Amino acid sequence: MTTLALPFARPPEAVLIEPFVRRALEEDVGAGDITSALIVPPDKTVSARLVPRKHGTIAGLIAAECAFRLIAADAAFRCGLPDGSVASEGSVIATIEGPARAILIAERVALNFVGHLSGIATATSALVDTVKGTKARIVDTRKTTPGLRLLEKYAVRCGGGFNHRFGLHDAVLIKDNHIAVAGSLAEAVCRARAGTAHMPKIEVEADTLVQLEEALSLGVYTILLDNMRLEDLRRAVGMANGRAVLEASGNVTLATVRAIAETGVDYISSGAITHSAPNLDVALDF
Amino acid sequence: MTTLALPFARPPEAVLIEPFVRRALEEDVGAGDITSALIVPPDKTVSARLVPRKHGTIAGLIAAECAFRLIAADAAFRCGLPDGSVASEGSVIATIEGPARAILIAERVALNFVGHLSGIATATSALVDTVKGTKARIVDTRKTTPGLRLLEKYAVRCGGGFNHRFGLHDAVLIKDNHIAVAGSLAEAVCRARAGTAHMPKIEVEADTLVQLEEALSLGVYTILLDNMRLEDLRRAVGMANGRAVLEASGNVTLATVRAIAETGVDYISSGAITHSAPNLDVALDF
Amino acid sequence: MTTLALPFARPPEAVLIEPFVRRALEEDVGAGDITSALIVPPDKTVSARLVPRKHGTIAGLIAAECAFRLIAADAAFRCGLPDGSVASEGSVIATIEGPARAILIAERVALNFVGHLSGIATATSALVDTVKGTKARIVDTRKTTPGLRLLEKYAVRCGGGFNHRFGLHDAVLIKDNHIAVAGSLAEAVCRARAGTAHMPKIEVEADTLVQLEEALSLGVYTILLDNMRLEDLRRAVGMANGRAVLEASGNVTLATVRAIAETGVDYISSGAITHSAPNLDVALDF
Amino acid sequence: MTTLALPFARPPEAVLIEPFVRRALEEDVGAGDITSALIVPPDKTVSARLVPRKHGTIAGLIAAECAFRLIAADAAFRCGLPDGSVASEGSVIATIEGPARAILIAERVALNFVGHLSGIATATSALVDTVKGTKARIVDTRKTTPGLRLLEKYAVRCGGGFNHRFGLHDAVLIKDNHIAVAGSLAEAVCRARAGTAHMPKIEVEADTLVQLEEALSLGVYTILLDNMRLEDLRRAVGMANGRAVLEASGNVTLATVRAIAETGVDYISSGAITHSAPNLDVALDF
Amino acid sequence: MTTLALPFARPPEAVLIEPFVRRALEEDVGAGDITSALIVPPDKTVSARLVPRKHGTIAGLIAAECAFRLIAADAAFRCGLPDGSVASEGSVIATIEGPARAILIAERVALNFVGHLSGIATATSALVDTVKGTKARIVDTRKTTPGLRLLEKYAVRCGGGFNHRFGLHDAVLIKDNHIAVAGSLAEAVCRARAGTAHMPKIEVEADTLVQLEEALSLGVYTILLDNMRLEDLRRAVGMANGRAVLEASGNVTLATVRAIAETGVDYISSGAITHSAPNLDVALDF
Amino acid sequence: MTTLALPFARPPEAVLIEPFVRRALEEDVGAGDITSALIVPPDKTVSARLVPRKHGTIAGLIAAECAFRLIAADAAFRCGLPDGSVASEGSVIATIEGPARAILIAERVALNFVGHLSGIATATSALVDTVKGTKARIVDTRKTTPGLRLLEKYAVRCGGGFNHRFGLHDAVLIKDNHIAVAGSLAEAVCRARAGTAHMPKIEVEADTLVQLEEALSLGVYTILLDNMRLEDLRRAVGMANGRAVLEASGNVTLATVRAIAETGVDYISSGAITHSAPNLDVALDF
């Protein structure tokens, strides 16, 4: 087994990744791979390479390794690159040697993880690269594929992005519906502060500069500027003037992200990097 | 509770969908929604509508309903359209009435399911519509998001597509690696037939017309033509001449699929409809 | 650890067998084996042999191995024979060496798996041997012990039998109830073909020769002849004349199976091999 | 929903049966029942009856009810007889009314539970009936189908039998291996008494009258007489003379059980009632 | 079913509490309650009251309700007080009416939850009451009973306490070991800021005033003062002078907490409220 | 890996402890340890010692070992003492060497297990030591922390205590409610004997000497004397005079337990040792 340690991307612990991989193997292999079991002799060994068919940022080798290990404890998986690396089309990102049958069985699950997560990492790093030179950081959202958030947020980190909150439990985010129910932003913030201690952050969504002003006057330190025009974002940065951390969201694409970043906001959040990233095509070549 | 029965799309049984939804709720809600719990009074009720922001084919309302029911047994969820329907931008595809706090808690999970699965249904129906008038049917692959295959294959059916095998266990698919190991296609087919009874289908992958010829001569009834040029596909259809069912795969896009269909093949398989379909943007409007 | 690879029987992957064994250990061992823990010193080692008390076909050593491994990682389990082998009364089918306490703890679970699965393999191979020389193959059904289908279908393969479908999801089987609801066999077949792609087989149950005739005229390729008299089975074979694969079911016993096979049918299915096979008595001798 | 309360048989709590039924449904239904979904209209309702094809003792209706309820919450299941009743061939033991599709989907799982558990109940009650008039009670063993012990021990109770211990954790049973390791029975009993409080019973296995004598002299109150001849069993009863409860095991069949009971032993244990009971054939008639 | 909604305590969603209760029922009830099943007739109904034997703060009625509901869907559970209320010895905190057998079965599990969680709530509110009038808030830690954190943190809220982070994943806490590894606090903080976005808080542990000074100079906003003497705590408050939120930990008892609070710190964290709170004795009176 | 085998305490099998530890790791580590991942280099190794801050009886090293092994397979955990040993303040009870990051991640879970279970063992051994010289044994109850019974009953054994029944399934305990429902103790005992075989013990609760007399006259062998005064306990011992095993419960504290033991009862049961034992403070020193 090769250590996949990548300081910055912070892979989840292997023991916590395993349940995801087991579930995927149960779903794909089930009662067994009829084809390989019937055609491939048990003692046939093979050596294969994971090769992206397109240039991209790699994530999920750690899950691929787990899939091969669970099916064939004695197969030797070696990463050519750690998760989070950029790989060019046709390069070898990992090799696997061992029983042919087992490798054929785990192949699709391994590739599905690597393809899906590398797709997210690649989409993220495209945004990250585009805003390079500004101070803006790309962050994800809770718009992830149901059941895969832990891995998808890891893929965002592999792509150079940062993680917003993991769920409803670990931070407060006051949106328009909450404000409407509370009667005013002041009342909503007051309730949130009354019920939380010092660890969960409180972020407030502002759709207009008037709302931003109100949030700033309440001493709110983290503010989400939702769907604001570039001009308003720029003014918002001026109004905050360092008193608050500003996150911009809404209509974030490769075409728009640079201009958004140049307004001076601190964070730009994108749901698309997790929910709409196309798969990175990776194949297992024998 | 509204019945979501859609004859053609065949939703998985509700009892089997529930574990997917529970897992997603655990992941997103965890120790609880701090924001709503602190700001929204428990007796506040609300009425909301699921509204797509773009035109598309809807799938996953059955999971959304489950999410709202698990969090708020007394909320009333009503489908405006069954899964598998085409909805226009801004139309109401479902309504939910009940406790505001519970609806805010389940909102994101419900939307993540509907957005992800409707994205797949929409991508599928785009291909299906494009080949209309030909006899070709669009089928999926095993290139699905790990852990979500059951739901994603359902979304493909909602989009008018058909399902290829569900895993390695329910059909034989002999690919180039198997042939190489067996020494010849004849030997591989022979081993597969020797080890299976009458229920699992045996499909053979052919990359060239020579291989197709060999498969036909062995009486193989289901043949996957992988990455063939249009001209070869046309010839393949002529060679098979009804003796075999032909599936085309490789380089299937909205731009290419019509021409592939017009070669006369029976099935066209696409991994992209499951692994690279962008999310359909659906919102919950209060 | 000894590899248990048996080409023909196709054992399920070890990682997928493990959950069955863990569940059985939790059920039997629970809070611990009071007796052995109190009486057997932890450093006492022992060597034992798995010995059938009756002649039979062995299946499930792969689960026994897993049970011993999970309880005592350092015990050495060695198969004398692979699953699927015929063992005579008193022969040694496996040996286990290691800590006495652990071996006593895992003993019953290991034996329950081997006894149950070998019972199924033995019942299957009795039918298989009886039809030897005819072309008929013995297949199983969905009449399996709830929760153990994956392992029981493996035991059938160990006994030389073949697997029918694994569940309701992987093949179509049109029975009398479906025909009644649809109004006619033609309509039922039409609906099934309209909703499935090329991979799931469509089998039709025929209780009479008239129904068989109708199925053949619709081009149905796989037909289940249910509870037909021998004479009708013979006629059915003549009528089909190679145009369809014929499976006979109903009243299949050691006494009747040879005659059924000699009618010329291709497959004979038996629920009794899974739901009524007596345990094969296997003991652990120290 | 019908209450299935049967005082004597003591069904396990419904909430604890549910996981067994969910597992069985996942295994059998998986991605859905293709056949019924395609052929049976969603609004078609049906009424059906569970009818044994043979005379027997019924067990498992409680699991059947659960299967139908999980698949179709609105189907109406009614027991004609409580679990533990004797039913004659062709009698109606339960009825189910509701959506045809759902009933067809849950049918096989429901029947597999009822058939398997009624088989055990029937085999048990055959022994129970045969010893009627003696004081001997029939008890089960730990030789159960892996993963189903809770339900199988319930089926034994439905058949009028009694339960031996549930696992290695809830009672001490000192066998020959333990005695050998400890050096003597006296030492083994001493260690067991030293390590347990007043609740777990301590049973000792005796293969000979000499061993019985030793156990009695140690004040052991529960003794298992393993594989003794009838004559020795009779002598054992005389020797114990009420000072100990005696359980006979080994070679217990319908042919031998009466004679064993007439020796005067208190309990007769049988592994065959759980591990080798043939299925009771029960069908769902529409 | 009674709604248990308590605005401030924020109970976890019922669907997420259920798995805890199911696990406890499996553990306690297992194969069934022999005693009640044999002695209590199934149609016997009963009415009972949950009554604390000591004055205390109640938490966990929400889990008790779940236990009774899972065992007896038709039992009527009514809370006399919401979780988080103070109850005097002998008062009725909830009533339950329904089948006697079911209520006896669920009794111990229900009481174990209420006793354990009320113990935590009571210990918490003792600290909370003691610091009343100061600005200090009581917070919990990660020193919780393994597997019960979600519920125990809820019990802390019921007692008027606040929650520190839920796990290693939702906030940064830099302790002495991290500083030692990084070489300096400055380097450690720099690495933490480089790798996180705006949502997770960064807290630094300071054992001395020198370390506090360093943290303040780095602009760290949340600082844990570990095991400082009262005098140093007072000085720390002066040094921070509102520039940072200060949490005191170490040697927090009923005897010391008031004095700690009066130093002017913002938060006081206690492991004992979760890991060492004695059970609150609550009984079910019939 | 170090073997932790302690003859008398009988640790549960490692494979059955693992699910408890995995659950605790999921709860604490979740998406990963942000702090360590960002600050501690992956190749940094460390050596640390588990050191109790107070004198106590150790239990749970077996779970700590599992936590470290699951997070860092290559870390070397060595027990200085087996579970069940008495350790003095500041002594080294175990050492761990390996990757710093992994050890920091598993630290809290490991300590939470050791602290909680050692707390129980220490509370138990305090009672055990106090009754030394009498024949009374200390036993636990079903008043355990929900979901942790298996481990907590093990901790009781580590402290020199004994286990009462594990749940409702493995022994009969007839309490006042059962007697009231049955109409009389005689009837309740009769029903219990009618429905159980020889393995589950039948214990009867007696609140008065009159009830004790009745139980003795019915030949009940195991009797729980609940909340009796010392004088009555003494008389009870005289009345039973060896004909029954007597267990005393109610108001058992360090102050009262010696006097209770000196009345001559056989067992003294305490809920407090499991539900109210304060944590034993154990730290990981680097």
Side-chain angles (χ1 to χ4, degrees), chain A residues 137-155:
Chain A
R137 287 168 159 188
I138 302 300
V139 293
D140 54 29
T141 66
R142 285 168 46 237
K143 298 181 178 176
T144 54
T145 314
L148 289 178
R149 185 167 295 166
L150 187 132
L151 294 176
E152 293 189 349
K153 293 220 160 204
Y154 164 57

Side-chain angles (χ1 to χ4, degrees), chain E residues 14-262:
Chain E
V15 67
L16 299 178
I17 289 178
E18 211 184 281
F20 293 86
V21 180
R22 283 182 183 267
R23 208 178 296 139
L25 288 170
E26 279 174 21
E27 166 186 271
D28 189 44
V29 183
D33 175 355
I34 322 181
T35 315
S36 300
L38 288 172
I39 297 176
V40 182
D43 55 351
K44 170 82 185 173
T45 59
V46 84
S47 158
R49 285 155 299 126
L50 263 82
V51 179
R53 293 281 179 263
K54 285 200 174 168
H55 180 92
T57 301
I58 303 305
L61 289 177
I62 199 170
E65 176 183 24
C66 181
F68 287 118
R69 178 172 45 79
L70 285 176
I71 291 291
D74 49 348
F77 184 89
R78 273 185 207 86
C79 288
L81 303 164
D83 273 0
S85 310
V86 174
S88 52
E89 180 188 337
S91 61
V92 176
I93 58 174
T95 59
I96 172 84
E97 272 189 69
R101 203 190 264 183
I103 289 174
L104 286 166
I105 289 173
E107 173 186 2
R108 179 48 42 215
V109 166
L111 292 179
N112 283 351
F113 274 111
V114 173
H116 181 67
L117 298 177
S118 298
I120 290 173
T122 301
T124 303
S125 70
L127 291 184
V128 168
D129 290 350
T130 305
V131 303
K132 199 152 283 176
T134 71
K135 73 169 179 184
R137 288 168 159 187
I138 303 300
V139 293
D140 55 27
T141 66
R142 283 168 48 238
K143 297 180 178 176
T144 54
T145 314
L148 289 179
R149 185 168 294 167
L150 186 131
L151 293 176
E152 294 189 348
K153 294 220 158 205
Y154 164 58
V156 166
R157 298 194 301 266
C158 288
F162 290 79
N163 297 143
H164 206 283
R165 61 178 177 168
F166 266 78
L168 294 167
H169 43 87
D170 59 346
V172 174
L173 177 42
I174 300 176
K175 299 191 184 177
D176 47 4
N177 289 319
H178 301 106
I179 299 171
V181 166
S184 71
L185 176 60
E187 175 63 19
V189 168
C190 174
R191 289 184 194 172
R193 286 176 176 160
T196 55
H198 53 321
M199 293 312 278
K201 278 272 176 70
I202 297 177
E203 186 174 39
V204 165
E205 181 183 307
D207 301 336
T208 65
L209 295 179
V210 173
Q211 290 176 328
L212 169 64
E213 187 58 55
E214 188 181 1
L216 289 169
S217 74
L218 290 164
V220 172
Y221 186 66
T222 314
I223 301 174
L224 171 63
L225 307 171
D226 193 36
N227 274 318
M228 282 195 185
R229 289 171 308 155
L230 288 176
E231 193 183 312
D232 284 349
L233 287 177
R234 253 185 307 268
R235 273 194 220 157
V237 171
M239 285 164 66
N241 194 22
R243 283 180 300 161
V245 168
L246 299 181
E247 170 189 349
S249 72
N251 190 26
V252 176
T253 67
L254 270 183
T256 63
V257 73
R258 179 82 202 177
I260 297 174
E262 289 177 343

Side-chain angles (χ1 to χ4, degrees), chain A residues 23 27-28 32 34-36 39 108 112 142 145 147-149 168-169 173 177 191 275-276 279 286, chain B residues 23 27-28 32 34-36 39 108 112 142 145 147-149 168-169 173 177-178 191 275-276 279 286:
Chain A
R23 205 177 300 139
E27 164 185 274
D28 190 44
I34 322 180
T35 315
S36 300
I39 297 177
R108 177 51 39 216
N112 283 350
R142 285 168 46 237
T145 314
L148 289 178
R149 185 167 295 166
L168 294 168
H169 43 86
L173 177 42
N177 290 319
R191 290 184 193 173
H275 68 49
S276 295
N279 195 67
F286 289 86
Chain B
R23 206 176 299 139
E27 166 186 271
D28 190 44
I34 322 181
T35 315
S36 300
I39 297 176
R108 176 52 39 219
N112 284 351
R142 285 168 47 237
T145 314
L148 288 179
R149 185 168 295 167
L168 293 167
H169 43 87
L173 177 43
N177 289 319
H178 301 107
R191 289 184 193 173
H275 69 48
S276 295
N279 196 65
F286 289 85

Side-chain angles (χ1 to χ4, degrees), chain D residues 46-51 68 76-78 92 94-98 103 283-286:
Chain D
V46 85
S47 159
R49 286 154 298 126
L50 261 81
V51 179
F68 286 118
F77 184 88
R78 275 187 205 84
V92 175
T95 59
I96 173 83
E97 271 189 69
I103 290 174
L284 191 71
D285 292 342
F286 290 86

Side-chain angles (χ1 to χ4, degrees), chain C residues 56-122:
Chain C
T57 302
I58 302 306
L61 289 177
I62 199 170
E65 177 183 25
C66 181
F68 286 117
R69 178 171 45 79
L70 286 176
I71 291 292
D74 50 347
F77 183 88
R78 274 188 205 84
C79 288
L81 303 163
D83 273 359
S85 307
V86 174
S88 52
E89 180 187 336
S91 62
V92 174
I93 58 174
T95 60
I96 173 83
E97 272 190 70
R101 201 190 264 184
I103 290 174
L104 285 167
I105 289 174
E107 172 187 3
R108 177 50 40 217
V109 164
L111 291 179
N112 283 350
F113 273 111
V114 173
H116 181 68
L117 297 176
S118 298
I120 290 173
T122 302

Side-chain angles (χ1 to χ4, degrees), chain B residues 136-196:
Chain B
R137 288 168 157 187
I138 302 301
V139 294
D140 55 28
T141 66
R142 285 168 47 237
K143 297 180 179 176
T144 54
T145 314
L148 288 179
R149 185 168 295 167
L150 186 131
L151 293 176
E152 293 189 349
K153 293 221 158 202
Y154 164 57
V156 166
R157 299 195 300 267
C158 288
F162 290 79
N163 297 144
H164 206 284
R165 60 179 178 168
F166 265 78
L168 293 167
H169 43 87
D170 61 344
V172 173
L173 177 43
I174 301 176
K175 299 192 184 177
D176 47 3
N177 289 319
H178 301 107
I179 299 171
V181 166
S184 71
L185 177 59
E187 177 61 21
V189 168
C190 174
R191 289 184 193 173
R193 286 175 175 161
T196 55

